[in-house]
């Protein structure tokens, strides 16, 4: 199981999306998010996009006001995860057009649907943007 | 007014990533404005395809505008109140309900409990509308874990939805299956999922495979009969399904490599096709064909090719192709390159690929990007196991990373140093690690680095003194974090000593330990584990050398017991230590005067609530009252390592029994011979077979070993309570063989057990190298000089030389010094080890270097016999244990140098070596003619470094050719085969993988 969780957090440290691939209780999530957000937000742009935290490695990337944080196992390819984040952003961008923090806030379920297509059981299963977006487009049409 | 055009965008173009801070600030200001505007705009009623009410928009807006966590919490709490009221109202329109559920998701996401609404999410998955249903499924997967009580209500709906005609409904249900089905409910959905593997829609097949993957993760046995399905789906027409199938296959192969060796050809062929862009363009990412699938395939190949020459040979061509094709200017290209390096360092080594990997690593390390440096350091740590000489090319890059302010990079570099630690650089590395350990607060990482320090110190310690000091530092700063076993090992090490017959060295070690502990006791707050060690050592050896009086030591022990009065374990250790000191005094015939503080301490302990403490105190009291002879047999001096003979048959009671029987007592009947009673041993056997069907366990509980050791009264166990099983010393032969794997697998083994054999060996030889540390730090220039001279003949010398010349211009002396102490030693030994390998007689060197100790005849026989297989063995993972072969080699070198006088600058030789070298020369001349010829060859090679290198160089080429020959042929054949089987890339939906497995 490579990916343990995916978080989107704005630069004030507020969670905008959280998806865990292993069960953590509410308290555990709260504590974990607090700790890693503090760690990642304190780093500057010259430093690595990777942070070790307990048994996780956090790969993070900042887009304007929003941080994307992915917690992975120790033997995961960090650069690939970094690009996976970018692929996710590109995919959301294709759907929302110039995606922004508010798009995710107003359409939280859609952002989750995209993740559901891309990652299952903590593994990346789909990387074709067309395949990721087609169910969402079909649902859009139907409703 | 279109809200979106104002919203801050994070359009993911590369230019967006390079935005300067000023623009970002501008964006921030703009964003605040926009949040307000958007809120206003949207509340007027502008709605997307998904229905959103004013309430929802207001909520999102206020959460977005919250300036602090407290404000956010206030908003969420009032939202909870609203939802609690509204959500249970009757007849809520389903769109409204969907919105409530999403608001619940918000509540949980922001850290508050929303369990009051879970049932409504569960209800929502029954809805007919796809969007509402899927939102319901999403919410339940976010809210519930697989053991939640509500799951039982969901399984039914999932079963129904899996049968739906609408494939999107099936997909939604499959998503939920992956998150919510636990081991018990697997059978309820398994048959349907297997059916769905043949669904016409690729999206369904993909998710069905992932559901099986999930079941495999949860309970491998539940899908063990379905493994063939994974193999089948690997040849699915749809590349997405194929890509997803790699995930379960990766797990399966991780757990059982050998059952999937037949798939190597298929994986290689798929990877080749992917790399040749035969997949649909939709899978391209930044001009790279399906990079995520490539990475997954490379991971799988790394597993399959690990120490399997045949399998690896199939992979060389395609991995080499990917190395060439990767675009090293893009992140994703580098990600694939990194995976290639991982693969190359895992599979059976191939010189050409190793070269490509080394090139890629040096590109990573030279890059300005910290991310790439990080990947480079990691990759270096992997490759170093196969080709250790690569480290020295990058020594300065490594040191830069070590000193980088970025903590992530620093840690990664420490990991690398840990992997490349040798006896020559252990002092520098462990010192650095301890310094770093002291500078951080993160307990998790502190623990890790402390246990690594201990491991390295145990394995490579150059001297007893250093070892004790290092352990003291570790205990002092991270004592509460290290495993208690480490403390026990330390005590055992001090007790057992290192040399087999060198008693003076052992007692010196103990004296120095006592000395340092008495000094350390002055420190204010010490960790409990460390205090236990101190008490034990002081009790056992505090008065052994006569330097300190019993009253001084007992005074210190009483101080400890008083100062740490809330730590019962420490107090218990202190009491037992006191008892030993007094016992030794009595045994030596001296009069015992108990200190007043000791008296008051004993009074306290005799009335202690802790029975353990009480017992120890009473025992102390009893022991003091005994005469010298009795005390000596209870607590003999320095006997912690003696075996205790336990008379299991209790034969000393025979007389008593005899007497009792004579008086008419019933004789004892062993359990097994009793009739009419349940035969327990039989029953137990039965029970083993029926264990699965029985609800109750009939076998006896295992004895709690730990507590038994701790609770046994010290008097009966003498002073060995801390040395549970006194291990016998290893005889020489056996430790030679055992040390070889232990040194080679240093990184792999995380076992905490102290490797006494390795330590003994290392320290036993210590007499030959009295001053490694000084030679390391002072002989920097000469070491560098030598590497340069030597390097000019080796294959990889050019890069290093340029590095060296650059280094002399711009590198600060401290850095050079560090580099030399880290790499200086290894660089020399590494080279030697390389020649040792390449000159095709590694084992002969080993045998010979030990030869002075054993018989020379045997050694020379072995040389002639073993030569051919060694040539072929070059580079095989099992041979990667360069350490064992190189150390004896270095010994030999050190011994020879004074007589041949080639490079007097090398500080390895010592007085001991000088006196020994003529001996060895003598031994060599005495051997038989054939062996002599060979030996002298090697000896002359050794005394003349350039020549050795030439010899080494030529053999390397031979080896390279010999291993390349069959490779090339093989790969050509493979290539032809693949081409025959391949499909035309032009077709729209190519039948890519169907033909491979047939």
């Amino acid at each position: 199981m490579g990916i343990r969780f995916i978080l989107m957090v704005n630069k004030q440290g507020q969670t905008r999306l959280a998806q865990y691939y292993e069960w953590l209780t509410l308290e555990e999530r709260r504590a974990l998010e607090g700790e890693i957000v503090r760690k990642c937000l304190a780093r500057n742009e010259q430093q690595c996009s990777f942070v070790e935290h307990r048994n996780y490695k956090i790969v993070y990337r900042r887009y304007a006001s929003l941080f994307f944080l992915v917690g992975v196992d120790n033997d995961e390819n960090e650069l690939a995860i970094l690009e996976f984040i970018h692929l996710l952003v590109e995919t959301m961008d294709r759907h929302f057009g110039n995606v922004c923090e508010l798009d995710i806030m107003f359409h939280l379920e859609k952002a989750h649907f995209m993740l559901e297509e891309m990652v299952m059981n903590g593994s990346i299963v789909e990387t074709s943007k067309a395949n990721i977006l087609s169910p969402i487009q079909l649902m859009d049409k139907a409703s | 007014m279109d809200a979106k055009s104002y919203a801050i965008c994070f359009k993911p173009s590369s230019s967006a990533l390079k935005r300067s801070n000023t623009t970002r600030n501008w964006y921030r200001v703009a964003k605040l404005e926009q949040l307000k505007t958007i809120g206003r705009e949207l509340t007027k009623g502008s709605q997307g395809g998904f229905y959103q009410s004013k309430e929802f928009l207001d909520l999102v807006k206020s959460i977005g505008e919250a300036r602090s966590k407290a404000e956010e919490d206030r908003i969420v709490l009032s939202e909870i109140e609203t939802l609690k009221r509204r959500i249970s109202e009757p007849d809520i329109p389903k769109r409204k309900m969907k919105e409530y559920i999403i608001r619940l998701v918000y509540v949980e996401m922001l850290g508050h409990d929303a369990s009051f609404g879970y049932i409504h999410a569960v209800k929502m998955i029954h809805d007919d509308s796809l969007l509402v249903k899927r939102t319901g499924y999403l919410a339940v997967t976010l809210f519930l874990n697989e053991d939640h009580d509500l799951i039982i209500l969901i399984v039914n709906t999932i079963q129904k939805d899996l049968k739906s005609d609408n494939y999107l409904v099936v997909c939604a249900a499959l998503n939920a299956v992956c998150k919510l089905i636990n081991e018990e409910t697997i059978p309820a959905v398994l048959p349907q999922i297997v059916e769905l593997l043949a669904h016409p829609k690729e999206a369904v097949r993909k998710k069905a495979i992932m559901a099986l993957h999930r079941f495999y993760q949860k309970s491998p046995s539940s899908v063990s009969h379905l493994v063939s399905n994974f193999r089948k789906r690997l040849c699915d027409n749809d590349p997405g399904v194929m890509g997803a199938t790699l995930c379960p296959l990766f797990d399966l192969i991780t757990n059982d490599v050998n059952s999937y060796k037949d798939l190597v050809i298929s994986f290689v062929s798929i990877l080749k096709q992917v790399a040749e862009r035969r997949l649909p363009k939709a899978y391209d990412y930044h001009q790279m064909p399906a990079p995520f699938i490539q990475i997954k395939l490379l991971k799988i190949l790394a597993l399959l090719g690990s120490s399997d020459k045949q399998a690896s040979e199939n992979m060389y061509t395609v991995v080499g192709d990917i190395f060439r094709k990767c675009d090293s200017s893009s992140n994703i290209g580098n990600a694939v390159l990194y995976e290639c390096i991982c693969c190359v360092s895992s599979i059976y080594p191939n010189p050409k690929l190793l070269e490509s990997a080394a090139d890629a690593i040096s590109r990573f390390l030279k890059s300005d990007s910290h991310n790439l440096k990080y990947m480079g350091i990691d990759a270096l740590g992997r490759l170093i196991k196969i080709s250790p000489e690569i480290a020295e090319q990058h020594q300065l890059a490594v040191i830069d990373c070590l000193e980088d302010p970025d903590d992530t990079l620093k840690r990664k570099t420490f990991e690398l140093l840990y992997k490349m630690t040798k006896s020559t650089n252990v002092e520098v590395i462990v010192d650095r690690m301890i310094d770093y350990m002291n500078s951080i607060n993160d307990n998790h990482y502190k623990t890790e680095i402390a246990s690594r320090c201990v491991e390295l110190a145990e394995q490579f310690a150059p001297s007893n003194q250093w070892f004790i000091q290092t352990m003291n530092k570790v205990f002092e700063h991270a004592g509460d974090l290290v495993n208690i076993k480490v403390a026990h090992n330390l005590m055992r090490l001090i007790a057992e000593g290192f040399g087999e017959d060198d008693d003076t060295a052992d007692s010196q070690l103990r004296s120095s330990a006592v000395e340092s502990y008495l000094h350390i006791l002055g420190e204010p707050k010490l960790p409990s584990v460390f205090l236990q060690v101190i008490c034990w050592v002081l009790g056992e050896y505090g008065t052994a050398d006569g330097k300190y009086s019993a009253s001084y030591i007992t005074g210190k022990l009483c101080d400890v017991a008083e100062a740490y009065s809330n730590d019962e374990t420490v107090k218990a250790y202190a009491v037992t230590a006191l008892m030993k000191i007094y016992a030794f005094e009595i045994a030596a015939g001296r009069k015992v005067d108990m200190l007043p503080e000791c008296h008051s301490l004993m009074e306290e302990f005799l009335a202690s609530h802790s029975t353990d403490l009480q017992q120890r105190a009473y025992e102390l009291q009893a022991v003091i009252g005994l005469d010298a002879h009795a005390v000596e047999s209870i607590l003999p001096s320095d006997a912690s390592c003696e075996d205790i003979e336990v008379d299991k048959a209790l034969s000393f009671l025979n007389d008593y029994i005899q007497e009792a029987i004579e008086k008419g007592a019933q004789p004892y009947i062993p359990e097994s011979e009793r009739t009419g009673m349940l035969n327990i041993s039989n029953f137990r056997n039965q029970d083993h077979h029926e264990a699965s069907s029985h609800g109750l366990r009939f076998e006896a509980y295992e004895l709690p070993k730990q507590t038994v050791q701790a609770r046994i009264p010290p008097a009966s166990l003498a002073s060995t309570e801390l040395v549970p099983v006194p291990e016998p010393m290893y005889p020489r032969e056996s430790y030679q063989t055992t040390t070889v794997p232990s040194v080679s697998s240093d990184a792999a083994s995380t076992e905490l057990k102290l490797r006494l054999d390795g330590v003994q060996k290392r320290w036993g030889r210590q007499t030959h190298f009295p001053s490694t540390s000084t030679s390391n730090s002072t002989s920097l220039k000469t070491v560098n000089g030598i590497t340069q001279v030597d390097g000019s003949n080796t294959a990889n010398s050019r890069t290093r030389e340029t590095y060296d010349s650059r280094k002399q211009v711009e590198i600060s002396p401290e850095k050079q010094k560090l580099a030399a102490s880290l790499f200086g030693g290894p660089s020399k030994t590494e080279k030697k080890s390389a020649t040792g390998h390449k000159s095709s007689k590694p084992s002969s060197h080993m045998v010979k270097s030990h030869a002075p100790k054993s018989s020379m005849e045997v050694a020379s026989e072995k040389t002639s016999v073993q030569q051919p297989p060694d040539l072929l063995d070059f580079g095989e993972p099992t041979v990667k244990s360069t350490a064992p072969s190189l150390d004896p080699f270095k010994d030999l070198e050190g011994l020879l140098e004074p007589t041949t006088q080639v490079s007097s600058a090398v500080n390895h030789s010592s007085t001991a070596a000088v006196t020994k070298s003529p001996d060895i020369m003598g031994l060599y001349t005495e051997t038989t003619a054939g062996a002599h010829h060979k030996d002298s060859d090697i000896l002359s090679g050794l005394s003349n470094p350039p020549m050795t290198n030439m010899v080494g160089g030529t053999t390397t080429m031979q080896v390279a050719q010999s291993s390349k020959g069959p490779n090339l042929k093989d790969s050509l054949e493979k290539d032809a085969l693949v081409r025959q089987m391949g499909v035309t890339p032009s077709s729209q939906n190519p039948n890519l993988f169907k033909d491979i497995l047939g």
Side-chain angles (χ1 to χ4, degrees), chain B residues 906-917:
Chain B
V906 180
N907 264 5
H908 268 287
S909 53
S910 67
T911 46
V914 176
T915 52
K916 265 198 182 169
S917 51

Side-chain angles (χ1 to χ4, degrees), chain B residues 785-817:
Chain B
I786 285 166
T787 47
Q788 258 180 318
V789 171
D790 290 347
S792 58
N793 287 300
T794 54
N796 59 1
S797 64
R798 226 167 299 133
T799 41
R800 188 166 21 134
E801 248 178 301
T802 51
Y803 220 141
D804 277 354
S805 55
R806 214 158 46 105
K807 176 170 64 187
Q808 263 140 28
V809 185
E810 51 187 68
I811 306 301
S812 70
E814 295 96 70
K815 236 177 229 181
Q816 278 190 27
K817 204 163 160 181

